[in-house]
Amino acid sequence: MRLHLGISSAVLFLLACGSSSDNDTGGIGPDAGTEADAATDLALLDTGFPELADVRGYSAVLTHGSKIHVIAYQRLRLSEDGTIDSDFEWQSNGRKGLYRLDAMGRPLEVQVDQGTKTWQLVAHQFDGQLDLRFSGDASTPEFDSPANYSHDLYRVDAIETDDGIVVVGNIASRDPAQPDQIWVARVQADGSLDGSFGIDGYVMVAPEEDELLEAEKVVVGTDGKIVIVGNGQVYEPVLVVLKSDGTLDDEFGSGGILKTGLGTRGGNAVAVDTEGRILVGSADRQSPIVKRYLSDGSEDASFQADLSLAVDGVVRNMAWGPHGDLMVVGSINDAWDVYSVFWTRIDEDGALVKGIDEEEIHLRESGYMTSAIDERGRVLVAECTSVGSTFCDDSQLVRLNH
């Protein structure tokens, strides 16, 4: 397998915010670019994109159609050419939460109040203003912690489905006798919990005794099944599959839960194809990995995606590209403690697809912060370009081609 190493203009971001190494890299490393490398990097780097550099504190980048949403210290929307969209002006309700987009590209926030152990959805219009869609209010009621647990609510995700808005989160127990659990809720169009989903709108997913189970991301298949990827013991990626009514899919794995056995880097990315097969991105033995699972939870042996790299890498993001192929983005900590980004494209059989430079996998030295994949299969990466004492002082958003 060939690997393209493009030399970025960004200042190298070191693992754990360290300083750059002065050690001799032996000819391949931060200082070892060639004229051919630079020329190829210009083709991979979308030079027509303005590299938005006036934004700090990137936490997420989302795309819908030609629009790019930037979630940082401020909330911005960009046009396809990377310029700030003046038609978008964020109206806050005074709080911040997890930012997602609905099927129409309108922002939704999941806001959690750790003090009261409650959560709510807040809706916005396409232009960023508060949207009174929930029975004349921009916010749903403040829902109590699932099952009235006096636990901390943390790490949430949400997605809109045909049946409502599915919200997934975790509760951390303060009682050693009670395990941490995943909770799933479904909110109807009027902002109320869907009583036909689980019990009073909630589903609780508990781990086996003395084990960890926490949710990271949620997707919904074409059959309406809800697929959650998360972490098990020692951060082994775990899959949880629910039917559309909230019951665990007992045909998948062990009662709807599958321990994948894929290393200890956690379940970071998940996708479902048109046949209902589930793809998981993580790392195994410190190399990036994508595996595909069938409807019963067995691994699809016909899918062999070779992402083996001689570096410490992990898959961070996956999305379907315009040709039905899977776009994969990840971060790498190489032998010189340089945080970089890699990206590639995988066809339905697991074969890597060559890019515009005839390479299968691309690598860009970059302080990877977060990423998104647009409808044309282009990769947007928020990069740290300078490192302060405790956080990234400067950053930029770049767009990369395959």
Side-chain angles (χ1 to χ4, degrees):
M1 177 180 296
R2 295 181 293 174
L3 175 70
H4 169 69
L5 176 62
I7 304 303
S8 166
S9 61
V11 177
L12 301 181
F13 179 61
L14 304 189
L15 187 66
C17 294
S19 58
S20 58
S21 171
D22 293 326
N23 294 335
D24 180 12
T25 64
I28 303 177
D31 301 316
T34 65
E35 290 184 6
D37 287 332
T40 303
D41 195 43
L42 289 177
L44 294 172
L45 176 65
D46 187 345
T47 55
F49 197 79
E51 296 188 357
L52 187 68
D54 297 329
V55 177
R56 297 181 63 188
Y58 282 95
S59 62
V61 179
L62 304 170
T63 65
H64 187 276
S66 63
K67 300 297 185 180
I68 304 163
H69 289 251
V70 172
I71 300 89
Y73 291 156
Q74 64 262 63
R75 306 286 198 261
L76 301 172
R77 190 175 69 197
L78 311 180
S79 299
E80 185 176 13
D81 62 4
T83 58
I84 294 177
D85 186 349
S86 59
D87 292 332
F88 183 87
E89 184 176 355
W90 184 255
Q91 182 183 6
S92 173
N93 69 341
R95 298 165 56 188
K96 290 185 177 180
L98 174 91
Y99 188 112
R100 288 293 182 261
L101 299 174
D102 68 11
M104 297 176 61
R106 300 173 300 182
L108 277 170
E109 280 195 306
V110 186
Q111 297 181 347
V112 173
D113 188 325
Q114 294 289 11
T116 61
K117 313 301 180 190
T118 60
W119 64 275
Q120 65 179 161
L121 288 177
V122 179
H124 293 261
Q125 300 175 48
F126 188 71
D127 62 3
Q129 299 296 292
L130 290 172
D131 185 356
L132 307 181
R133 79 177 78 167
F134 296 130
S135 298
D137 199 327
S139 305
T140 64
E142 292 189 348
F143 300 118
D144 289 333
S145 177
N148 294 315
Y149 279 50
S150 59
H151 297 185
D152 290 331
L153 306 180
Y154 71 100
R155 195 181 299 119
V156 292
D157 197 7
I159 188 169
E160 185 177 29
T161 73
D162 292 340
D163 299 315
I165 301 167
V166 173
V167 182
V168 176
N170 301 278
I171 53 176
S173 174
R174 296 178 178 179
D175 181 354
Q178 290 184 321
D180 296 354
Q181 298 187 49
I182 293 174
W183 59 271
V184 187
R186 190 162 69 201
V187 178
Q188 300 180 103
D190 64 359
S192 63
L193 286 175
D194 184 352
S196 68
F197 183 81
I199 300 175
D200 297 328
Y202 278 114
V203 172
M204 304 297 296
V205 184
E208 295 181 2
E209 187 176 359
D210 298 327
E211 291 202 2
L212 173 73
L213 182 63
E214 60 181 13
E216 288 283 351
K217 294 184 179 178
V218 60
V219 293
V220 175
T222 55
D223 57 1
K225 289 183 179 178
I226 300 165
V227 179
I228 302 165
V229 68
N231 307 317
Q233 204 71 10
V234 296
Y235 281 83
E236 169 195 4
V238 172
L239 285 168
V240 177
V241 178
L242 304 175
K243 298 177 182 178
S244 59
D245 63 359
T247 57
L248 284 164
D249 182 1
D250 55 10
E251 296 181 356
F252 180 84
S254 176
I257 301 175
L258 175 69
K259 300 176 183 178
T260 65
L262 298 179
T264 58
R265 301 294 294 274
N268 302 303
V270 63
V272 181
D273 67 15
T274 55
E275 297 183 27
R277 297 173 296 190
I278 301 170
L279 296 101
V280 175
S282 182
D284 190 25
R285 297 180 179 87
Q286 308 307 310
S287 290
I289 191 169
V290 176
K291 292 288 187 180
R292 189 167 69 191
Y293 297 91
L294 304 176
S295 59
D296 62 356
S298 60
E299 184 180 329
D300 186 352
S302 69
F303 184 85
Q304 296 291 331
D306 184 7
L307 294 175
S308 58
L309 304 171
V311 284
D312 180 6
V314 60
V315 174
R316 300 289 184 188
N317 199 358
M318 302 190 306
W320 298 109
H323 306 290
D325 296 332
L326 187 70
M327 296 300 301
V328 177
V329 185
S331 62
I332 288 175
N333 173 40
D334 68 16
W336 304 276
D337 280 345
V338 175
Y339 234 21
S340 301
V341 59
F342 76 87
W343 69 105
T344 188
R345 184 173 138 201
I346 303 175
D347 70 14
E348 65 177 354
D349 298 319
L352 302 188
V353 179
K354 291 182 179 180
I356 55 178
D357 61 347
E358 293 299 310
E359 302 292 351
E360 296 171 339
I361 299 179
H362 314 295
L363 177 66
R364 173 180 168 85
E365 291 168 356
S366 149
Y368 179 92
M369 300 173 73
T370 188
S371 62
I373 301 165
D374 70 14
E375 62 179 2
R376 293 172 58 181
R378 297 172 299 187
V379 176
L380 292 127
V381 179
E383 304 176 330
C384 178
T385 57
S386 69
V387 181
S389 57
T390 57
F391 59 90
C392 179
D393 287 332
D394 298 295
S395 55
Q396 65 183 15
L397 183 67
V398 298
R399 187 162 63 195
L400 306 171
N401 299 308
H402 173 62

